Each structure stands twice: as C-alpha cells, then as structure tokens.
Amino acid sequence: MGILRRTIATFHTEFNELPTLRKLKQVLTDRIGFNGCIDTLRIILKESGYEWSKIDDNRKALVEKHDIQMLRFQYLRQLKKYRDEGRYIVYTDESYVHTTHLQNMCWKPVKGVSAVQKKLSKCTWVIIVHAGGCEGFVPNARLVYKANSTSGDYHDNMNLDNYKKWLTTQLLPNLPVKAVIVVDNASYHNALLEKAPNSNSNKQAMQTWLTEKNIQFDEKMKKI
C-alpha cells in the first residue's frame, strides 16, 4: 500500500504526466510485480480511498479523498504528540509464509548437492504475529503457528479470539508503562464487546437493547 501511495503521489514529477489506470498498472507491474487486471486495480484504488476528480481542460486526476487525508493528518499529529512525550511506540502486524514461497531457480553450493526444490503442497501456511518499535522487536511477543484453515484464506486463522490471546499473554506483559500500540484496520482489531443492533436486527432485539441501555422509546414505533 505504501508503494501504491508513493507512486501516485510522485507520478507527475517522475513521469511528467498524470496517472491513468493503464499507466499506473504498468508502473506497479514493473516495480512490485503487480499481476492484477485494470478492474482489480480500480477496486484497490477505491478501497484505498482514491477517486477521480476533474481538473483543468476537463481532464481527471487521481486524488485521495479528503476524509482519508484528514484521518492520516490526525494519526500523524497524535503520533508526534506521543513521541514528544517520550512514550514507547510499538507497531504490530500479522503475516504468513506459504510452503511454496521458494524461487523457481537457485544457486547450488557444490556439484552433486541437491538444490532447493519448490514444494508442491497446497494450502499450508505458517502464521506470524509480532510487534516492534525503534528498539527492535518486543521480547517474547513473537507468535508463529501452522494454519489449519481449509477455506483458502489464511486470514481465517487470525480472528478476535487468537488476537486477544496474543495481545493479553504475549504483547501487553512485555511492554513498558504507557506504551502506544499501533494497529491497522483488520476486522479483529476493531471488534466491539457488545454490538448495537442495526437495520438487519429484528424489532425485538432493538427493543431489548434500548431497554438495557435505559433509552426510552414507544413500543408502537416501527423499525425504521
């Protein structure tokens, strides 16, 4: 994502032209091996907060939405505040290694010694969870385990329960007082202990929730 944003931000100064989907796709293919189609790139841009805006001569330029910009400004200001206070800032993330993550060709040490061969196993992932900051990785915070998902998506193996267990047993006990933890927007990072009813909830669930929260309402009211 960082490469995508930097490429868009410097496209005009680097290539002296406005980015188009086709041109942007070519640059990303050359730099990071992006192998998606133009429609896929369009979806990624939209989900990343970009939109097309008209400029001079009725042309369109790829710009970041203002609300996304404001969220970044707020994040950077808050981060600077914590740094000025001397607080320890730690960044966390989850990733994976697949058993087929090997090069098709490699160097052999000597003649007669077998080269590293690409494994043919499927759907075998190793999940890696860790945290670190300016002083390196947090001691005893590394979590590595074999995924057991059969859905074809390693994200299914890192859910709220797994994340809470790692957070409370491995990360928090090894952080200094008043440390700041930076996380991304994964769904299990933003889970609510108690979800409020929404438009898909039935009327009885809405009434029960309102009653528990001591919010007055007329029982004759419709869901809307």
Side-chain angles (χ1 to χ4, degrees):
M1 190 61 67
I3 294 178
L4 175 63
R5 295 188 185 281
R6 287 193 297 272
T7 301
I8 295 173
T10 61
F11 203 97
H12 183 267
T13 57
E14 187 173 354
F15 301 102
N16 195 30
E17 58 182 335
L18 293 174
T20 64
L21 283 174
R22 191 173 301 279
K23 294 175 182 177
L24 186 59
K25 176 181 178 297
Q26 183 60 51
V27 173
L28 293 175
T29 299
D30 296 339
R31 293 183 175 178
I32 61 174
F34 177 76
N35 59 359
C37 64
I38 289 182
D39 288 336
T40 299
L41 179 58
R42 182 183 290 108
I43 293 173
I44 293 174
L45 290 170
K46 183 178 179 180
E47 293 178 348
S48 301
Y50 285 93
E51 61 184 1
W52 294 98
S53 178
K54 286 187 178 181
I55 57 175
D56 297 338
D57 300 328
N58 205 31
R59 294 182 298 171
K60 290 184 177 181
L62 194 62
V63 297
E64 198 171 35
K65 294 180 180 178
H66 292 307
D67 56 338
I68 300 297
Q69 292 177 347
M70 289 305 302
L71 288 173
R72 180 180 295 107
F73 293 155
Q74 293 172 8
Y75 164 75
L76 293 174
R77 290 193 188 103
Q78 194 70 26
L79 205 62
K80 182 179 184 303
K81 174 178 176 292
Y82 289 142
R83 284 174 176 162
D84 293 341
E85 294 174 355
R87 297 173 67 173
Y88 180 69
I89 301 174
V90 57
Y91 300 85
T92 71
D93 204 357
E94 307 84 37
S95 188
Y96 74 102
V97 176
H98 198 282
T99 53
T100 60
H101 282 180
L102 297 173
Q103 296 291 340
N104 292 325
M105 295 184 293
C106 67
W107 290 99
K108 295 195 303 181
V110 292
K111 186 177 181 180
V113 176
S114 299
V116 177
Q117 296 182 349
K118 189 170 184 177
K119 297 182 181 298
L120 299 178
S121 59
K122 296 181 180 180
C123 297
T124 303
W125 295 301
V126 175
I127 309 299
I128 304 172
V129 188
H130 216 330
C134 60
E135 298 179 7
F137 288 111
V138 177
N140 304 316
R142 182 182 64 188
L143 172 63
V144 180
Y145 63 96
K146 183 179 179 180
N148 56 10
S149 172
T150 59
S151 67
D153 188 350
Y154 84 94
H155 291 90
D156 292 343
N157 287 267
M158 177 51 68
N159 50 39
L160 177 59
D161 291 336
N162 291 343
Y163 183 74
K164 279 177 60 179
K165 182 179 180 181
W166 170 77
L167 189 71
T168 56
T169 62
Q170 291 187 247
L171 181 59
L172 295 180
N174 294 293
L175 290 180
V177 178
K178 294 185 178 181
V180 177
I181 302 175
V182 180
V183 299
D184 58 24
N185 284 325
S187 59
Y188 43 81
H189 294 164
N190 298 280
L192 299 175
L193 292 178
E194 183 181 356
K195 294 183 179 180
N198 54 36
S199 59
N200 294 324
S201 304
N202 59 46
K203 186 175 181 180
Q204 182 59 48
M206 293 180 176
Q207 292 176 336
T208 300
W209 188 87
L210 291 170
T211 301
E212 292 174 349
K213 302 302 177 184
N214 295 319
I215 301 175
Q216 295 183 356
F217 65 94
D218 186 346
E219 293 188 358
K220 295 181 181 180
M221 288 180 175
K222 298 180 179 180
K223 282 181 57 173
I224 191 63

